[in-house]
Amino acid sequence: MTCVVLKTFLILSSLVSLIYSQNCKWLRPQQENLNKEILQSFNQMRPLGTSSGTCPQNTIMVPNIDDLYNISQVEEAAIAARDVTNQTIRFYKRNHQKLQCDEKAWERMEKLLDYQLSLLDDCIPKGAGNPQLQQNMSEYFILLQKIVNEEVDTCARTVVQINIKRNLQLAALLSSRMRRKHLLKNIPVL
């Protein structure tokens, strides 16, 4: 009896994921352009080349979180993309002036990120989340916030900008990987 219930649960949960991935606007090819626009807007907020000096080696240490993006399931990938998008929006809402971001570029990026969130909504079942990923991402952005609060010099701004850009790039790569996987899965076999 337990085995039958477990099998039924597994089948239903995989069907829910399949249904969500079929309706997932985030997996559409147009998303590639949105990812490019987000990164372009990010670069326009405060180009990296505007620093007046170089940062001394190893002055500000930020952990490498690339492994958080090593995800193979669409729903988990969408959750990761949603979390990094939400954290980025919250972070820049609080800090775009401190970081001397171009106001119009920030407003454009915020609209693009909000649009991305709306696309991700169809990919994630209500109440779904990854508490470990959320915790790691939250701690990461808390560390970036601490850097901004303690050191608002050019070096700190550069470190924060490089790290957030890296997260946006990783989320875009994850999106591309999931899209390719989704497209390949839906190609009819001849």
Side-chain angles (χ1 to χ4, degrees):
M1 177 68 177
T2 305
C3 188
V4 172
V5 172
L6 183 59
K7 283 181 183 179
T8 305
F9 174 75
L10 290 174
I11 290 170
L12 288 175
S13 64
S14 65
L15 284 175
V16 168
S17 291
L18 181 64
I19 290 167
Y20 273 97
S21 71
Q22 294 298 323
N23 295 327
C24 183
K25 294 175 187 167
W26 179 64
L27 294 175
R28 293 183 180 161
Q30 299 87 335
Q31 179 66 17
E32 292 294 331
N33 291 330
L34 180 61
N35 288 335
K36 289 176 188 172
E37 288 182 49
I38 288 169
L39 291 170
Q40 286 172 347
S41 292
F42 182 85
N43 288 334
Q44 292 169 356
M45 286 194 331
R46 181 168 163 76
L48 285 173
T50 61
S51 65
S52 58
T54 58
C55 293
Q57 203 70 6
N58 299 325
T59 55
I60 303 172
M61 297 299 294
V62 178
N64 183 334
I65 62 167
D66 291 7
D67 289 345
L68 291 179
Y69 294 94
N70 192 14
I71 298 170
S72 61
Q73 299 299 318
V74 170
E75 184 181 311
E76 287 295 314
I79 289 168
R82 179 188 63 189
D83 288 348
V84 74
T85 302
N86 276 326
Q87 290 285 351
T88 301
I89 291 170
R90 278 188 231 123
F91 182 83
Y92 276 103
K93 277 185 177 180
R94 282 191 303 265
N95 298 299
H96 70 278
Q97 291 176 331
K98 279 184 190 175
L99 295 170
Q100 300 175 350
C101 295
D102 178 80
E103 194 71 32
K104 287 184 181 180
W106 155 241
E107 288 170 4
R108 175 155 170 68
M109 189 174 95
E110 183 180 24
K111 286 178 185 172
L112 291 169
L113 292 173
D114 282 337
Y115 179 64
Q116 179 166 287
L117 285 174
S118 73
L119 296 177
L120 286 162
D121 283 344
D122 294 332
C123 307
I124 305 168
K126 295 249 186 271
N130 180 333
Q132 184 63 45
L133 175 75
Q134 288 173 321
Q135 168 132 11
N136 289 341
M137 203 52 76
S138 179
E139 289 171 1
Y140 184 79
F141 275 87
I142 287 169
L143 176 61
L144 294 178
Q145 183 66 51
K146 186 177 176 183
I147 291 169
V148 168
N149 290 343
E150 292 176 0
E151 306 176 44
V152 191
D153 62 2
T154 303
C155 185
R157 283 191 299 268
T158 301
V159 167
V160 167
Q161 183 181 8
I162 287 170
N163 281 282
I164 291 178
K165 182 177 183 178
R166 178 77 180 136
N167 273 300
L168 291 172
Q169 289 170 328
L170 289 169
L173 287 172
L174 180 61
S175 168
S176 294
R177 197 171 68 229
M178 290 298 117
R179 192 169 305 101
R180 280 191 305 274
K181 181 179 176 180
H182 181 72
L183 289 172
L184 289 173
K185 190 168 85 174
N186 292 325
I187 293 176
V189 179
L190 300 175

